[in-house]
Amino acid sequence: MLAAGQAPQPKPANPPAAPKLAVVVLDPAHGGSDSGARGPAGTIESEVVLDFGRAIRVALEARGFRAVLTREGNQSPSYDERSALINGLSDAVFVTLHVSSTGPAGTARAYYYALLPSPSAPATAQANPAQPRHPSGGHRASALIEWDRAQEPYLDSSRRLAELVQIQLAQQFRGSPETPAAAAVRQLRTVAAPAIAIEVSSVAADSPRLTQMGQPLGEALARAASAFQQALAQAASEPGPER
Amino acid sequence: MARHWKIAVAILGMSVLASLLTFPALLRTVLRLQSSAAAEQQARREIVQPALSTPADTLEKAPLFWASASEPAALEAHDLELPLATDPVQRAKQLIAALIARPPTPAQRTLPAETVLLQFYLLPDGTAVADFSEALAGATPSGILSEQMAVDSIARTLEANLTAVHRLKILIRGQEAETLAGHLDLTGFFPVGTSQPAEAPPAPARSP
């Protein structure tokens, strides 16, 4: 029974499930008739990134993560098919793998999505999504995802993941930048999970040299995934702002 | 030697002689064609793209952004003296044409040489729409870095020389393209007039 003047207290909502990281979806970009960048010595991006994906999967599985590749051979899934693979999973992050045409050879850089203003938004106002967020940086479980802007609620966590990955890349590959960069990478836009792109420089190097980068790339990503997992656990254990 | 062999040798000899006589002329023609390839490309550009200068243009030093010669993966400004219009649309066309045609060195180029700016529009809200030929999508080196640098060089050049432009939309032959060369998303608008052209906006405040 309530005392006079005492307002009924709303029943506390079930807190969102604590985010964790169990699955890493690796996306070797291009494939099929789209071979991506081609080097002067015949290096083909779509083949090199598939090798990277396989090497990274081994390193991730050794650390207890489940790794899923968006393609296992020379198939060419669409952007949306690749996104659909992770959007159907929980506790997962997405890493799309690329090799550049240019840039200092033997270096690697992580990118997180740079949100472009919505076509309908006025030019003077940048898009500023005010959706409630999941502790991982995502949306509440009940919120609907607008497919074309699925990455929007995850920008913070994607940036954090990119930072952690870049720290490792800078250690593994001398000359790599210290910080990740923001870029409007198309593949990332429709991913409803923390998502980054890694671009290795470049197809100007010969194929065997690039392929050798797969193992250290896997090490870097596996360490960063562990660090991200810890960061998620820490964020979940800290009392966050009321939602 | 049989008579038919003599005839064959004579014909062969005459053929060799004729080849020797015509070879220098052929060589000159080939060299002339090679040297005129650049001129043809320029002529083609002039046909597709109308003259950009107007009598009212004034010579100005304008900063244009190309790939840095010293710092990989970065852009740097080069001051170029250009005849520029006061009309922002005409001015933007002149700047982009110079960006395509006059990189300091070939290695610093950010936009393919064969790219043509087909049209440029500026809407009252500061939205610039730049419509490029297919060469922009087809000849830009594939990759996140190279595509980002191509777009940033346009955005930063516009930013440095035009106050009326707040965001940039890139079209390819009048159509919205999904990506520039397989990586960079062209379905949205690129901010112009910010220090970090493609930076994500700050995280929104959590709802109370």
Side-chain angles (χ1 to χ4, degrees):
Chain A
M1 198 171 204
L2 293 170
Q6 196 177 353
Q9 294 297 309
K11 232 178 139 181
N14 287 336
K20 56 185 184 194
L21 175 58
V23 186
V24 179
V25 176
L26 299 165
D27 173 40
H30 311 286
S33 59
D34 170 18
S35 57
R38 276 175 176 268
T43 303
I44 296 171
E45 182 185 3
S46 62
E47 293 175 0
V48 175
V49 291
L50 187 57
D51 288 340
F52 283 169
R54 290 170 180 151
I56 296 168
R57 176 165 56 188
V58 171
L60 286 167
E61 285 175 348
R63 290 217 176 207
F65 294 104
R66 185 179 152 222
V68 178
L69 265 66
T70 56
R71 64 181 176 93
E72 294 280 354
N74 194 29
Q75 305 90 347
S76 180
S78 68
Y79 291 120
D80 285 346
E81 284 168 340
R82 294 173 202 245
S83 297
L85 187 62
I86 182 162
N87 292 354
L89 297 171
S90 57
D91 305 327
V93 297
F94 185 89
V95 181
T96 181
L97 303 166
H98 296 263
V99 181
S100 69
S101 299
T102 53
T107 63
R109 186 161 210 177
Y111 293 86
Y112 54 94
Y113 191 70
L115 181 67
L116 301 176
S118 157
S120 58
T124 46
Q126 303 291 305
N128 186 15
Q131 289 183 19
R133 295 185 170 210
H134 191 271
S136 71
H139 53 84
R140 280 183 184 171
S142 59
L144 290 174
I145 303 169
E146 194 181 338
W147 184 269
D148 276 344
R149 301 178 72 87
Q151 179 57 198
E152 206 169 279
Y154 295 90
L155 291 173
D156 290 346
S157 51
S158 295
R159 184 177 189 150
R160 180 73 186 127
L161 176 63
E163 285 166 353
L164 293 169
V165 169
Q166 193 63 53
I167 290 168
Q168 298 299 328
L169 292 177
Q171 285 175 12
Q172 290 283 355
F173 305 109
R174 214 172 142 197
S176 298
E178 296 290 323
T179 53
V185 180
R186 162 61 187 93
Q187 181 60 69
L188 301 181
R189 178 163 51 87
T190 45
V191 175
I196 61 165
I198 296 176
E199 189 170 72
V200 170
S201 293
S202 71
V203 284
D206 56 35
S207 213
R209 189 182 167 198
L210 273 173
T211 305
Q212 281 172 6
M213 292 175 75
Q215 196 186 344
L217 202 55
E219 264 311 300
L221 205 55
R223 285 186 195 152
S226 297
F228 189 68
Q229 194 178 39
Q230 284 172 13
L232 286 178
Q234 197 178 351
S237 66
E238 285 170 1
E242 224 180 293
R243 270 181 283 276
Chain B
M1 187 187 280
R3 189 167 173 268
H4 65 275
W5 278 115
K6 282 180 185 171
I7 293 167
V9 169
I11 291 169
L12 201 65
M14 281 192 292
S15 303
V16 169
L17 194 66
S19 304
L20 286 172
L21 290 171
T22 54
F23 182 74
L26 272 171
L27 190 65
R28 275 196 301 276
T29 309
V30 168
L31 290 174
R32 199 176 56 241
L33 282 171
Q34 275 181 343
S35 63
S36 66
E40 266 185 45
Q41 200 175 60
Q42 181 62 30
R44 214 169 22 245
R45 188 180 291 133
E46 282 164 8
I47 290 167
V48 179
Q49 190 169 285
L52 293 175
S53 60
T54 64
D57 292 356
T58 52
L59 215 55
E60 285 180 46
K61 252 189 185 163
L64 274 77
F65 286 80
W66 284 287
S68 168
S70 54
E71 200 184 334
L75 294 174
E76 67 184 14
H78 290 259
D79 285 338
L80 224 63
E81 204 160 65
L82 293 171
L84 291 174
T86 48
D87 171 58
V89 171
Q90 191 66 13
R91 192 179 175 87
K93 287 179 181 176
Q94 291 165 330
L95 288 161
I96 294 173
L99 199 59
I100 296 166
R102 298 177 60 182
T105 64
Q108 289 175 267
R109 174 177 286 290
T110 53
L111 304 173
E114 54 270 49
T115 304
V116 176
L117 177 66
L118 300 174
Q119 197 49 268
F120 188 91
Y121 309 94
L122 185 56
L123 306 183
D125 69 352
T127 302
V129 182
D131 182 13
F132 289 96
S133 63
E134 271 168 353
L136 182 67
T140 297
S142 176
I144 299 168
L145 176 64
S146 46
E147 292 172 43
Q148 179 80 60
M149 285 179 79
V151 171
D152 280 355
S153 70
I154 302 169
R156 292 183 68 181
T157 297
L158 293 176
E159 176 187 338
N161 296 283
L162 284 158
T163 52
V165 179
H166 299 305
R167 62 180 187 174
L168 171 68
K169 174 74 180 177
I170 292 176
L171 302 178
I172 305 294
R173 277 184 72 93
Q175 303 291 316
E176 183 177 82
E178 187 162 38
T179 65
L180 179 51
H183 301 83
L184 209 68
D185 195 347
L186 289 190
T187 59
F189 290 73
F190 294 92
V192 177
T194 57
S195 54
Q196 292 290 320
E199 196 67 54
R206 288 173 188 252
S207 47

